[in-house]
Amino acid sequence: MKNQIHHRTCNLCEAMCGLEIIHRGKEIISIKGDKDDPFSKGHICPKALALKDIFEDKDRLKKPVKRTVNGWMEITWEEAFESVAEKLIEVQNKFENSSVGIYNGNPVVHNSGTMLSAPSFFRTLKTNNKYSATSVDQLPHQFMAYLMFGHQLKIPIPDIDRTDFLLIIGANPIISNGSLLSAPDIKRRMRAIQQSGGKIVNVDPRFTETSAKSDQHIYIKPGTDAFFLLGLANVILDEGLVQDNRLTNEIKGLEEFEEISAAFHPEKVEEITGIASNIIRQIAREFTSHTKSVIYGRMGACTQEFGGLTMWLVNALNPHYALE
């Protein structure tokens, strides 16, 4: 049997990198990045390489199994669906509808059948307890998108390929590949910013893989990102660094924002965040001196006490600069 090549898309994260899979029958010979993929351009991460391990895992479930007094037994799909349906009805009749919880994992959004059928099924359960990867990951992103832009899916995505100043807060895109950024091969894209004269600043409580590729790393006390951003706003507004742009007439509440941020001068923010006041002023001035600057906040900015406020501030600061 000759080797065959299949071109596929990795579905393990939102980057959706192109893959070149060489196989002989059901034996996978190799998995490589597809150099002809217009989006990922040959990039591949360890997750995609692990697809071979998943496919060949001797413990991989291919049919439903049921736990019995004699151990796990293989059953048919009809038996599995019937058993689940019976238990759901039994539990909800005994307790209440919300005694059943729902959890959606990432694979759901990569399966059109599940995406189309799941909402109707969930509605029939009439439970208030619904959770997903969003619940433990990017809910502040979606909550702020809903409040500020009218829909939870209108999440602003940094245009990484046209950025000249990238301020990263609570993210490690070198490892995550730029979650909620949709930028495969983020390492190459970050390097392109630097090679074109731009700058990358990483704000994180620890020195990460992304820090090593950034021009400047700034240590911050965990959970104080919102105060750092308020400090930036204080400098930007106090020094009149807001640039006029086509969004000027659409901005609402700028005076109130200025009033709130006035209390968070860099010296006060330094005490809270551990970031020197001169560094806060430096970042604010550099951020506004570039015409294509952007703040990228991610999971570390979300999963904290002030996650919602942090993402509101990211959105509030980002649109105030000249758009080309």
Side-chain angles (χ1 to χ4, degrees):
M1 184 180 294
K2 294 183 178 180
N3 290 350
Q4 292 181 296
I5 298 178
H6 276 187
H7 291 95
R8 293 290 185 267
T9 300
C10 178
N11 63 357
L12 293 182
C13 85
E14 68 194 63
M16 302 291 284
C17 299
L19 303 179
E20 180 182 286
I21 303 173
I22 301 177
H23 68 100
R24 186 183 301 118
K26 292 188 176 181
E27 178 189 3
I28 297 177
I29 307 302
S30 69
I31 298 178
K32 302 177 181 178
D34 182 1
K35 295 181 179 179
D36 293 327
D37 187 284
F39 197 39
S40 57
K41 301 182 185 298
H43 172 79
I44 193 172
C45 85
K47 295 195 296 293
L49 293 173
L51 287 170
K52 174 178 168 64
D53 298 326
I54 294 172
F55 182 76
E56 297 176 349
D57 193 330
K58 62 182 179 63
D59 295 323
R60 177 186 173 204
L61 290 177
K62 299 181 181 179
K63 294 182 179 179
V65 294
K66 183 177 182 178
R67 185 167 57 187
T68 70
V69 293
N70 297 317
W72 292 97
M73 293 182 59
E74 190 175 286
I75 60 176
T76 64
W77 281 107
E78 288 75 14
E79 290 174 311
F81 285 129
E82 184 175 346
S83 176
V84 171
E86 289 177 353
K87 288 296 183 182
L88 283 173
I89 294 172
E90 179 184 324
V91 169
Q92 289 190 316
N93 284 341
K94 184 176 181 180
F95 300 100
E96 60 173 351
N97 289 338
S98 291
S99 62
V100 170
I102 298 167
Y103 182 84
N104 273 317
N106 282 337
V108 169
V109 299
H110 296 290
N111 186 297
S112 58
T114 308
M115 285 288 285
L116 291 171
S117 62
S120 297
F121 172 62
F122 295 156
R123 281 194 293 272
T124 65
L125 293 176
K126 299 179 180 179
T127 175
N128 294 323
N129 292 320
K130 301 175 183 178
Y131 311 94
S132 69
T134 297
S135 307
V136 293
D137 189 332
Q138 82 268 6
L139 193 57
H141 276 279
Q142 295 190 245
F143 184 42
M144 289 307 110
Y146 173 74
L147 291 180
M148 301 177 79
F149 310 121
H151 195 283
Q152 62 269 26
L153 295 182
K154 289 185 176 181
I155 301 173
I157 303 297
D159 190 347
I160 198 74
D161 295 324
R162 295 174 178 81
T163 294
D164 60 4
F165 186 91
L166 176 61
L167 177 57
I168 303 172
I169 296 178
N172 192 8
I174 292 294
I175 297 301
S176 69
N177 211 7
S179 173
L180 286 185
L181 185 60
S182 299
D185 198 5
I186 187 67
K187 186 185 296 184
R188 173 183 58 81
R189 287 178 150 98
M190 288 174 60
R191 187 166 58 247
I193 292 174
Q194 295 165 322
Q195 290 174 343
S196 63
K199 183 175 182 178
I200 299 172
V201 178
N202 190 36
V203 179
D204 201 285
R206 75 180 186 95
F207 193 88
T208 66
E209 292 82 354
T210 297
S211 303
K213 300 297 181 181
S214 300
D215 297 289
Q216 182 178 2
H217 175 83
I218 300 174
Y219 288 101
I220 186 172
K221 291 180 182 178
T224 64
D225 303 274
F227 298 98
F228 169 65
L229 292 171
L230 282 167
L232 295 184
N234 176 281
V235 176
I236 292 169
L237 294 169
D238 182 60
E239 297 185 3
L241 302 178
V242 177
Q243 299 179 17
D244 292 332
N245 59 65
R246 65 190 184 193
L247 295 179
T248 300
N249 295 330
E250 304 299 325
I251 296 173
K252 298 178 181 179
L254 184 56
E255 292 182 359
E256 183 179 1
F257 186 27
E258 186 172 4
E259 181 180 343
I260 292 171
S261 64
F264 295 92
H265 53 82
E267 285 71 26
K268 180 177 181 178
V269 171
E270 178 179 348
E271 297 175 4
I272 300 171
T273 64
I275 301 175
S277 58
N278 64 306
I279 298 297
I280 295 172
R281 289 189 171 88
Q282 169 222 324
I283 298 302
R285 292 163 183 166
E286 288 185 338
F287 183 67
T288 52
S289 66
H290 290 74
T291 59
K292 301 174 183 177
S293 55
V294 69
I295 303 174
Y296 170 56
R298 208 30 217 105
M299 191 170 180
C302 290
T303 54
Q304 55 168 285
E305 183 179 2
F306 302 110
L309 176 59
T310 299
M311 294 317 305
W312 186 92
L313 287 164
V314 167
N315 290 344
L317 286 170
N318 269 334
H320 288 298
Y321 306 99
L323 304 177
E324 297 280 300

